[in-house]
């Protein structure tokens, strides 16, 4: 199998390394807006560099494509690949708005092609165990879920206006995995945000810290929080509490959290530096799953409509934050 990869930034290079070692992949072809960077990455991995995405899609006989380029390019590349009958793996998001997302999904559906979205937490061992705990009934009736994503330092200021905001860019992972773990849908949200940190967030009309209360369709209450300024370190967790038991994902020696209880063990390891290190095995697993899906050996584990559902929740949270009121998901269609 010959796989083309568009985008050789940090995550794209990681994906390229994974693909070159993947069983059944015979060649990886790389392209990037920065052709020199693509050539350098390709040379280091024994892959092939291609001058442009259009040339990659049209003239190199690839069997599938992985999109890890800038967010603004995702929807157009998904449509172009689908029109040429190519299966696609794309990093989230499909697009930063609902119309752009739905247009891309229509093209994929009309072409009858495969689109897998990169929500890597679905492939993390901790989240998978949490899903099993909910589905097995070992927690009893689930009544509370607490999800959080805390970045140790803000992204570059130039990235913020292009990111879609904290709900769409960051908390969308929590929204997706919340649906996946619980098997339930969000029916309403009530969100707030703070831009009291670095000025670049106010300048980008974004917030550096956010919180949301989400109500699921069975009455379970969930909180989801995120921040770009968690100086203690990268911290991604989920806690699930039921009538019988409660469990946590992301709570281990590398969690940047210190108990102030006198009898507590306050020793801890070095926090994860960021998402790529924390979720490296999950990133590898999702691409393995993509290769299997392209080969017809397994179903698509995360199609584009899953991304649409998570984006709808993010859109509802953004509206709630701006308008200072609860928002029902029925406001955003089905």
């Amino acid at each position: 199998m010959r796989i083309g990869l568009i985008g050789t930034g940090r995550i794209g290079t990681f994906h390229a390394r994974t693909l070159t070692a993947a069983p059944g992949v015979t060649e990886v072809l790389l392209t990037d807006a920065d052709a020199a960077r693509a050539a350098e990455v390709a040379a280091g991995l024994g892959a092939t560099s291609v001058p442009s995405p259009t040339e990659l899609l049209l003239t190199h006989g690839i069997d599938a494509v992985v999109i890890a380029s800038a967010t603004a390019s995702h929807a157009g590349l998904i449509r172009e690949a689908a029109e040429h009958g190519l299966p696609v793996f794309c990093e989230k998001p499909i697009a930063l708005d609902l119309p752009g997302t739905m247009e891309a999904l229509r093209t994929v559906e009309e072409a009858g092609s495969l689109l897998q979205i990169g929500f890597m937490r679905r492939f993390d061992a901790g989240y998978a165990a949490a899903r099993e705990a909910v589905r097995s009934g070992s927690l009893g009736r689930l009544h509370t879920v607490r999800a959080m994503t805390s970045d140790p330092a803000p992204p570059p200021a130039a990235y913020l206006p292009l990111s879609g905001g904290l709900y769409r860019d960051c908390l969308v992972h929590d929204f997706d995995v919340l649906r996946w773990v619980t098997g339930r849908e969000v029916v309403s949200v009530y969100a707030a945000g703070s831009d009291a940190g670095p000025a670049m967030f106010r300048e980008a009309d974004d917030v550096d810290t956010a919180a949301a209360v989400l109500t699921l369709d069975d009455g379970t209450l969930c909180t989801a929080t995120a921040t770009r300024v968690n100086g203690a370190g990268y911290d991604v967790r989920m806690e699930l509490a039921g009538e019988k038991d409660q469990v946590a994902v992301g709570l281990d020696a590398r969690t940047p959290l210190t108990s102030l209880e006198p009898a507590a063990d306050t020793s801890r390891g070095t926090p994860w530096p960021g998402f790529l290190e924390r979720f490296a095995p999950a990133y590898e697993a999702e691409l393995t799953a993509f290769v299997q899906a392209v080969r017809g050996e397994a179903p698509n584990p995360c199609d584009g409509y899953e991304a649409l559902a998570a984006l709808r929740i993010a859109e509802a949270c953004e509206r709630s934050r701006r308008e200072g009121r609860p928002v029902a998901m029925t406001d955003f269609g089905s």
Side-chain angles (χ1 to χ4, degrees):
M1 180 186 299
R2 305 174 76 239
I3 296 184
L5 187 147
I6 303 172
T8 54
R10 188 181 181 203
I11 188 62
T13 298
F14 185 95
H15 286 333
R17 188 176 299 113
T18 299
L19 289 169
T20 56
V25 176
T26 57
E27 186 178 10
V28 179
L29 299 90
L30 310 179
T31 189
D32 191 281
D34 183 341
R37 181 170 66 183
E40 181 180 357
V41 174
L45 296 174
T48 302
S49 64
V50 177
S52 71
T54 297
E55 182 174 332
L56 176 69
L57 297 175
L58 291 179
T59 66
H60 285 269
I62 58 175
D63 300 297
V65 62
V66 171
I67 299 172
S69 52
T71 294
S73 68
H74 288 186
L77 290 171
I78 288 170
R79 293 195 302 270
E80 189 174 356
E83 288 166 354
H84 290 95
L86 290 170
V88 173
F89 174 95
C90 184
E91 282 297 331
K92 66 85 186 166
I94 293 173
L96 288 177
D97 59 20
L98 294 173
T101 299
M102 291 187 286
E103 181 182 357
L105 290 177
R106 279 193 294 270
T107 303
V108 171
E109 189 169 340
E110 290 168 1
S113 59
L114 183 150
L115 171 62
Q116 180 182 331
I117 300 300
F119 281 121
M120 76 292 185
R121 295 188 195 180
R122 292 178 175 227
F123 298 86
D124 177 73
Y127 284 104
R131 186 175 194 262
E132 175 58 27
V134 173
R135 305 304 174 87
S136 71
S138 67
L139 303 181
R141 181 187 68 85
L142 190 65
H143 54 75
T144 307
V145 181
R146 294 175 285 271
M148 63 178 292
T149 296
S150 300
D151 289 332
Y159 172 76
L160 293 177
L162 309 175
S163 71
L166 194 56
Y167 295 104
R168 300 183 189 92
D169 181 54
C170 183
L171 273 168
V172 72
H173 279 290
D174 296 273
F175 300 151
D176 174 71
V177 84
L178 173 66
R179 295 179 61 249
W180 185 74
V181 167
T182 66
R184 313 303 307 193
E185 297 295 341
V186 175
V187 296
S188 67
V189 309
Y190 193 8
S194 170
D195 62 2
M200 64 182 183
F201 290 95
R202 293 184 291 281
E203 293 164 358
D205 194 25
D206 195 6
V207 294
D208 59 75
T209 303
V213 177
L214 316 172
T215 302
L216 303 188
D217 56 14
D218 64 348
T220 301
L221 293 179
C222 309
T223 59
T225 64
T227 185
R228 301 284 200 187
V229 288
N230 196 57
Y234 185 70
D235 192 3
V236 172
R237 279 181 278 143
M238 174 180 274
E239 300 171 0
L240 301 103
E243 292 181 340
K244 293 182 180 179
D245 200 2
Q246 60 180 344
V247 295
V249 179
L251 185 62
D252 59 21
R254 301 192 72 166
T255 305
L257 180 69
T258 300
S259 173
L260 298 180
E261 296 299 325
D265 179 2
T266 58
S267 61
R268 71 184 193 195
T270 303
W272 295 106
F275 65 90
L276 195 53
E277 295 82 6
R278 163 65 176 86
F279 291 106
Y283 279 115
E284 293 169 353
E286 68 179 357
L287 279 189
T288 297
F290 175 63
V291 171
Q292 291 172 338
V294 172
R295 292 165 64 94
E297 298 169 354
N300 184 349
C302 187
D303 67 24
Y305 290 96
E306 300 295 300
L308 175 62
L311 179 61
R312 288 177 60 242
I313 299 169
E315 292 277 353
C317 286
E318 184 61 29
R319 180 181 295 182
S320 176
R321 178 185 75 84
R322 291 184 180 278
E323 299 181 2
R325 65 176 180 87
V327 171
M329 292 307 303
T330 50
D331 292 354
F332 294 85
S334 58

mmCIF file of all heavy atoms in Angstrom, residues 133-168:
data_model
loop_
_atom_site.group_PDB
_atom_site.id
_atom_site.type_symbol
_atom_site.label_atom_id
_atom_site.label_comp_id
_atom_site.label_asym_id
_atom_site.label_seq_id
_atom_site.Cartn_x
_atom_site.Cartn_y
_atom_site.Cartn_z
ATOM 1 N N ALA A 133 -15.626 0.214 31.561
ATOM 2 C CA ALA A 133 -16.196 0.302 32.899
ATOM 3 C C ALA A 133 -17.633 0.808 32.846
ATOM 4 O O ALA A 133 -18.508 0.313 33.574
ATOM 5 C CB ALA A 133 -15.346 1.227 33.774
ATOM 6 N N VAL A 134 -17.893 1.775 31.982
ATOM 7 C CA VAL A 134 -19.266 2.284 31.832
ATOM 8 C C VAL A 134 -20.160 1.226 31.212
ATOM 9 O O VAL A 134 -21.256 0.930 31.714
ATOM 10 C CB VAL A 134 -19.278 3.568 30.978
ATOM 11 C CG1 VAL A 134 -20.718 3.982 30.675
ATOM 12 C CG2 VAL A 134 -18.543 4.692 31.685
ATOM 13 N N ARG A 135 -19.701 0.624 30.119
ATOM 14 C CA ARG A 135 -20.543 -0.323 29.384
ATOM 15 C C ARG A 135 -20.778 -1.611 30.170
ATOM 16 O O ARG A 135 -21.813 -2.256 30.015
ATOM 17 C CB ARG A 135 -19.897 -0.656 28.038
ATOM 18 C CG ARG A 135 -19.559 0.553 27.163
ATOM 19 C CD ARG A 135 -20.752 1.447 26.884
ATOM 20 N NE ARG A 135 -20.386 2.659 26.173
ATOM 21 C CZ ARG A 135 -20.301 2.760 24.848
ATOM 22 N NH1 ARG A 135 -20.532 1.708 24.086
ATOM 23 N NH2 ARG A 135 -19.993 3.910 24.287
ATOM 24 N N SER A 136 -19.813 -2.014 31.011
ATOM 25 C CA SER A 136 -19.966 -3.265 31.764
ATOM 26 C C SER A 136 -20.915 -3.134 32.941
ATOM 27 O O SER A 136 -21.363 -4.139 33.501
ATOM 28 C CB SER A 136 -18.596 -3.728 32.281
ATOM 29 O OG SER A 136 -18.131 -2.875 33.315
ATOM 30 N N GLY A 137 -21.181 -1.890 33.345
ATOM 31 C CA GLY A 137 -22.041 -1.681 34.499
ATOM 32 C C GLY A 137 -21.313 -1.690 35.825
ATOM 33 O O GLY A 137 -21.937 -1.594 36.885
ATOM 34 N N SER A 138 -19.974 -1.784 35.802
ATOM 35 C CA SER A 138 -19.237 -1.874 37.063
ATOM 36 C C SER A 138 -19.317 -0.595 37.887
ATOM 37 O O SER A 138 -19.109 -0.621 39.104
ATOM 38 C CB SER A 138 -17.768 -2.226 36.796
ATOM 39 O OG SER A 138 -17.109 -1.163 36.126
ATOM 40 N N LEU A 139 -19.615 0.530 37.240
ATOM 41 C CA LEU A 139 -19.761 1.784 37.967
ATOM 42 C C LEU A 139 -21.175 1.984 38.488
ATOM 43 O O LEU A 139 -21.421 2.902 39.284
ATOM 44 C CB LEU A 139 -19.386 2.978 37.072
ATOM 45 C CG LEU A 139 -17.986 2.981 36.463
ATOM 46 C CD1 LEU A 139 -17.775 4.236 35.639
ATOM 47 C CD2 LEU A 139 -16.924 2.866 37.537
ATOM 48 N N GLY A 140 -22.098 1.149 38.056
ATOM 49 C CA GLY A 140 -23.497 1.398 38.356
ATOM 50 C C GLY A 140 -24.010 2.531 37.483
ATOM 51 O O GLY A 140 -23.405 2.887 36.464
ATOM 52 N N ARG A 141 -25.115 3.139 37.891
ATOM 53 C CA ARG A 141 -25.638 4.267 37.119
ATOM 54 C C ARG A 141 -24.652 5.424 37.183
ATOM 55 O O ARG A 141 -24.276 5.892 38.247
ATOM 56 C CB ARG A 141 -26.994 4.716 37.682
ATOM 57 C CG ARG A 141 -27.621 5.881 36.892
ATOM 58 C CD ARG A 141 -28.872 6.411 37.551
ATOM 59 N NE ARG A 141 -28.583 7.080 38.815
ATOM 60 C CZ ARG A 141 -28.207 8.362 38.922
ATOM 61 N NH1 ARG A 141 -28.048 9.103 37.833
ATOM 62 N NH2 ARG A 141 -27.981 8.887 40.115
ATOM 63 N N LEU A 142 -24.229 5.870 36.020
ATOM 64 C CA LEU A 142 -23.284 6.972 35.949
ATOM 65 C C LEU A 142 -24.016 8.271 36.269
ATOM 66 O O LEU A 142 -25.055 8.573 35.672
ATOM 67 C CB LEU A 142 -22.683 7.028 34.542
ATOM 68 C CG LEU A 142 -21.494 7.958 34.318
ATOM 69 C CD1 LEU A 142 -20.285 7.494 35.120
ATOM 70 C CD2 LEU A 142 -21.160 8.011 32.831
ATOM 71 N N HIS A 143 -23.495 9.061 37.216
ATOM 72 C CA HIS A 143 -24.170 10.319 37.548
ATOM 73 C C HIS A 143 -23.321 11.556 37.291
ATOM 74 O O HIS A 143 -23.851 12.634 37.048
ATOM 75 C CB HIS A 143 -24.650 10.324 39.003
ATOM 76 C CG HIS A 143 -23.591 10.023 40.027
ATOM 77 N ND1 HIS A 143 -22.617 10.921 40.394
ATOM 78 C CD2 HIS A 143 -23.375 8.907 40.782
ATOM 79 C CE1 HIS A 143 -21.856 10.393 41.326
ATOM 80 N NE2 HIS A 143 -22.271 9.163 41.585
ATOM 81 N N THR A 144 -21.957 11.398 37.303
ATOM 82 C CA THR A 144 -21.091 12.560 37.135
ATOM 83 C C THR A 144 -19.854 12.197 36.322
ATOM 84 O O THR A 144 -19.251 11.148 36.552
ATOM 85 C CB THR A 144 -20.615 13.109 38.500
ATOM 86 O OG1 THR A 144 -21.744 13.351 39.338
ATOM 87 C CG2 THR A 144 -19.822 14.390 38.331
ATOM 88 N N VAL A 145 -19.501 13.066 35.393
ATOM 89 C CA VAL A 145 -18.245 12.923 34.643
ATOM 90 C C VAL A 145 -17.523 14.261 34.695
ATOM 91 O O VAL A 145 -18.136 15.316 34.499
ATOM 92 C CB VAL A 145 -18.485 12.520 33.174
ATOM 93 C CG1 VAL A 145 -17.156 12.368 32.437
ATOM 94 C CG2 VAL A 145 -19.300 11.246 33.073
ATOM 95 N N ARG A 146 -16.233 14.210 34.972
ATOM 96 C CA ARG A 146 -15.401 15.414 34.981
ATOM 97 C C ARG A 146 -14.256 15.215 33.984
ATOM 98 O O ARG A 146 -13.468 14.275 34.129
ATOM 99 C CB ARG A 146 -14.856 15.679 36.388
ATOM 100 C CG ARG A 146 -15.931 16.037 37.401
ATOM 101 C CD ARG A 146 -15.373 16.169 38.813
ATOM 102 N NE ARG A 146 -15.083 14.862 39.398
ATOM 103 C CZ ARG A 146 -15.957 14.134 40.100
ATOM 104 N NH1 ARG A 146 -17.198 14.592 40.275
ATOM 105 N NH2 ARG A 146 -15.613 12.967 40.603
ATOM 106 N N ALA A 147 -14.189 16.077 32.985
ATOM 107 C CA ALA A 147 -13.142 15.990 31.960
ATOM 108 C C ALA A 147 -12.325 17.269 31.962
ATOM 109 O O ALA A 147 -12.864 18.358 32.212
ATOM 110 C CB ALA A 147 -13.759 15.772 30.582
ATOM 111 N N MET A 148 -11.036 17.144 31.685
ATOM 112 C CA MET A 148 -10.200 18.340 31.662
ATOM 113 C C MET A 148 -9.028 18.172 30.709
ATOM 114 O O MET A 148 -8.507 17.078 30.521
ATOM 115 C CB MET A 148 -9.671 18.662 33.055
ATOM 116 C CG MET A 148 -8.755 17.617 33.652
ATOM 117 S SD MET A 148 -8.123 18.081 35.273
ATOM 118 C CE MET A 148 -7.063 19.447 34.848
ATOM 119 N N THR A 149 -8.650 19.289 30.100
ATOM 120 C CA THR A 149 -7.450 19.369 29.274
ATOM 121 C C THR A 149 -6.724 20.651 29.644
ATOM 122 O O THR A 149 -7.284 21.743 29.498
ATOM 123 C CB THR A 149 -7.788 19.374 27.778
ATOM 124 O OG1 THR A 149 -8.405 18.138 27.427
ATOM 125 C CG2 THR A 149 -6.533 19.557 26.940
ATOM 126 N N SER A 150 -5.503 20.519 30.144
ATOM 127 C CA SER A 150 -4.728 21.681 30.583
ATOM 128 C C SER A 150 -3.372 21.671 29.902
ATOM 129 O O SER A 150 -2.572 20.761 30.121
ATOM 130 C CB SER A 150 -4.548 21.659 32.111
ATOM 131 O OG SER A 150 -5.806 21.692 32.768
ATOM 132 N N ASP A 151 -3.136 22.678 29.070
ATOM 133 C CA ASP A 151 -1.846 22.817 28.397
ATOM 134 C C ASP A 151 -0.879 23.600 29.281
ATOM 135 O O ASP A 151 -1.284 24.566 29.946
ATOM 136 C CB ASP A 151 -2.017 23.562 27.074
ATOM 137 C CG ASP A 151 -2.740 22.729 26.032
ATOM 138 O OD1 ASP A 151 -2.649 21.499 26.104
ATOM 139 O OD2 ASP A 151 -3.394 23.326 25.148
ATOM 140 N N PRO A 152 0.401 23.248 29.273
ATOM 141 C CA PRO A 152 1.358 23.923 30.155
ATOM 142 C C PRO A 152 1.717 25.335 29.727
ATOM 143 O O PRO A 152 2.128 26.150 30.546
ATOM 144 C CB PRO A 152 2.585 23.011 30.107
ATOM 145 C CG PRO A 152 2.472 22.290 28.813
ATOM 146 C CD PRO A 152 1.006 22.104 28.571
ATOM 147 N N ALA A 153 1.563 25.641 28.445
ATOM 148 C CA ALA A 153 1.925 26.967 27.945
ATOM 149 C C ALA A 153 1.093 27.284 26.709
ATOM 150 O O ALA A 153 0.684 26.372 25.976
ATOM 151 C CB ALA A 153 3.411 27.028 27.602
ATOM 152 N N PRO A 154 0.809 28.550 26.468
ATOM 153 C CA PRO A 154 -0.011 28.930 25.318
ATOM 154 C C PRO A 154 0.678 28.604 23.993
ATOM 155 O O PRO A 154 1.909 28.552 23.924
ATOM 156 C CB PRO A 154 -0.185 30.444 25.478
ATOM 157 C CG PRO A 154 0.147 30.738 26.900
ATOM 158 C CD PRO A 154 1.168 29.712 27.294
ATOM 159 N N PRO A 155 -0.105 28.423 22.935
ATOM 160 C CA PRO A 155 0.482 28.285 21.600
ATOM 161 C C PRO A 155 0.980 29.646 21.121
ATOM 162 O O PRO A 155 0.734 30.672 21.775
ATOM 163 C CB PRO A 155 -0.705 27.798 20.762
ATOM 164 C CG PRO A 155 -1.893 28.387 21.453
ATOM 165 C CD PRO A 155 -1.571 28.373 22.915
ATOM 166 N N PRO A 156 1.665 29.711 19.985
ATOM 167 C CA PRO A 156 2.093 31.011 19.448
ATOM 168 C C PRO A 156 0.895 31.934 19.209
ATOM 169 O O PRO A 156 -0.197 31.481 18.839
ATOM 170 C CB PRO A 156 2.777 30.635 18.124
ATOM 171 C CG PRO A 156 3.191 29.207 18.303
ATOM 172 C CD PRO A 156 2.130 28.584 19.154
ATOM 173 N N ALA A 157 1.096 33.211 19.427
ATOM 174 C CA ALA A 157 0.005 34.183 19.277
ATOM 175 C C ALA A 157 -0.612 34.129 17.879
ATOM 176 O O ALA A 157 -1.832 34.277 17.723
ATOM 177 C CB ALA A 157 0.520 35.591 19.573
ATOM 178 N N ALA A 158 0.209 33.899 16.864
ATOM 179 C CA ALA A 158 -0.299 33.872 15.487
ATOM 180 C C ALA A 158 -1.253 32.708 15.250
ATOM 181 O O ALA A 158 -2.071 32.741 14.320
ATOM 182 C CB ALA A 158 0.866 33.797 14.512
ATOM 183 N N TYR A 159 -1.156 31.662 16.080
ATOM 184 C CA TYR A 159 -2.012 30.488 15.905
ATOM 185 C C TYR A 159 -3.432 30.744 16.383
ATOM 186 O O TYR A 159 -4.391 30.187 15.837
ATOM 187 C CB TYR A 159 -1.413 29.310 16.673
ATOM 188 C CG TYR A 159 -2.289 28.079 16.732
ATOM 189 C CD1 TYR A 159 -2.415 27.243 15.633
ATOM 190 C CD2 TYR A 159 -2.998 27.762 17.892
ATOM 191 C CE1 TYR A 159 -3.216 26.113 15.681
ATOM 192 C CE2 TYR A 159 -3.802 26.633 17.953
ATOM 193 C CZ TYR A 159 -3.903 25.810 16.848
ATOM 194 O OH TYR A 159 -4.707 24.698 16.906
ATOM 195 N N LEU A 160 -3.590 31.582 17.397
ATOM 196 C CA LEU A 160 -4.885 31.722 18.061
ATOM 197 C C LEU A 160 -6.020 32.155 17.129
ATOM 198 O O LEU A 160 -7.099 31.546 17.157
ATOM 199 C CB LEU A 160 -4.775 32.685 19.244
ATOM 200 C CG LEU A 160 -3.917 32.185 20.409
ATOM 201 C CD1 LEU A 160 -3.818 33.256 21.485
ATOM 202 C CD2 LEU A 160 -4.487 30.895 20.990
ATOM 203 N N PRO A 161 -5.845 33.177 16.279
ATOM 204 C CA PRO A 161 -6.956 33.573 15.410
ATOM 205 C C PRO A 161 -7.351 32.499 14.398
ATOM 206 O O PRO A 161 -8.455 32.540 13.841
ATOM 207 C CB PRO A 161 -6.404 34.817 14.686
ATOM 208 C CG PRO A 161 -5.297 35.307 15.543
ATOM 209 C CD PRO A 161 -4.685 34.086 16.139
ATOM 210 N N LEU A 162 -6.450 31.535 14.155
ATOM 211 C CA LEU A 162 -6.710 30.474 13.181
ATOM 212 C C LEU A 162 -7.228 29.198 13.829
ATOM 213 O O LEU A 162 -7.611 28.257 13.139
ATOM 214 C CB LEU A 162 -5.419 30.137 12.420
ATOM 215 C CG LEU A 162 -4.665 31.319 11.799
ATOM 216 C CD1 LEU A 162 -3.358 30.837 11.203
ATOM 217 C CD2 LEU A 162 -5.526 32.004 10.747
ATOM 218 N N SER A 163 -7.241 29.154 15.159
ATOM 219 C CA SER A 163 -7.513 27.906 15.867
ATOM 220 C C SER A 163 -8.988 27.560 15.988
ATOM 221 O O SER A 163 -9.340 26.408 16.220
ATOM 222 C CB SER A 163 -6.909 27.978 17.272
ATOM 223 O OG SER A 163 -7.653 28.883 18.089
ATOM 224 N N GLY A 164 -9.839 28.585 15.915
ATOM 225 C CA GLY A 164 -11.255 28.354 16.148
ATOM 226 C C GLY A 164 -11.668 28.589 17.590
ATOM 227 O O GLY A 164 -12.849 28.544 17.915
ATOM 228 N N GLY A 165 -10.700 28.831 18.450
ATOM 229 C CA GLY A 165 -11.021 29.086 19.853
ATOM 230 C C GLY A 165 -10.863 27.849 20.709
ATOM 231 O O GLY A 165 -10.756 26.721 20.224
ATOM 232 N N LEU A 166 -10.857 28.069 22.020
ATOM 233 C CA LEU A 166 -10.535 27.008 22.964
ATOM 234 C C LEU A 166 -11.518 25.841 22.909
ATOM 235 O O LEU A 166 -11.124 24.685 23.054
ATOM 236 C CB LEU A 166 -10.486 27.589 24.379
ATOM 237 C CG LEU A 166 -9.846 26.733 25.472
ATOM 238 C CD1 LEU A 166 -8.429 26.331 25.109
ATOM 239 C CD2 LEU A 166 -9.858 27.479 26.798
ATOM 240 N N TYR A 167 -12.799 26.107 22.699
ATOM 241 C CA TYR A 167 -13.779 25.013 22.644
ATOM 242 C C TYR A 167 -13.585 24.159 21.395
ATOM 243 O O TYR A 167 -13.608 22.930 21.462
ATOM 244 C CB TYR A 167 -15.207 25.573 22.670
ATOM 245 C CG TYR A 167 -15.564 26.268 23.959
ATOM 246 C CD1 TYR A 167 -15.613 27.648 24.029
ATOM 247 C CD2 TYR A 167 -15.828 25.535 25.118
ATOM 248 C CE1 TYR A 167 -15.924 28.298 25.214
ATOM 249 C CE2 TYR A 167 -16.141 26.174 26.304
ATOM 250 C CZ TYR A 167 -16.184 27.553 26.347
ATOM 251 O OH TYR A 167 -16.481 28.192 27.526
ATOM 252 N N ARG A 168 -13.400 24.808 20.237
ATOM 253 C CA ARG A 168 -13.283 24.058 18.983
ATOM 254 C C ARG A 168 -11.926 23.394 18.817
ATOM 255 O O ARG A 168 -11.824 22.330 18.213
ATOM 256 C CB ARG A 168 -13.544 24.988 17.793
ATOM 257 C CG ARG A 168 -14.918 25.636 17.773
ATOM 258 C CD ARG A 168 -15.091 26.469 16.508
ATOM 259 N NE ARG A 168 -16.289 27.283 16.527
ATOM 260 C CZ ARG A 168 -16.333 28.544 16.965
ATOM 261 N NH1 ARG A 168 -15.224 29.116 17.412
ATOM 262 N NH2 ARG A 168 -17.458 29.222 16.945
#
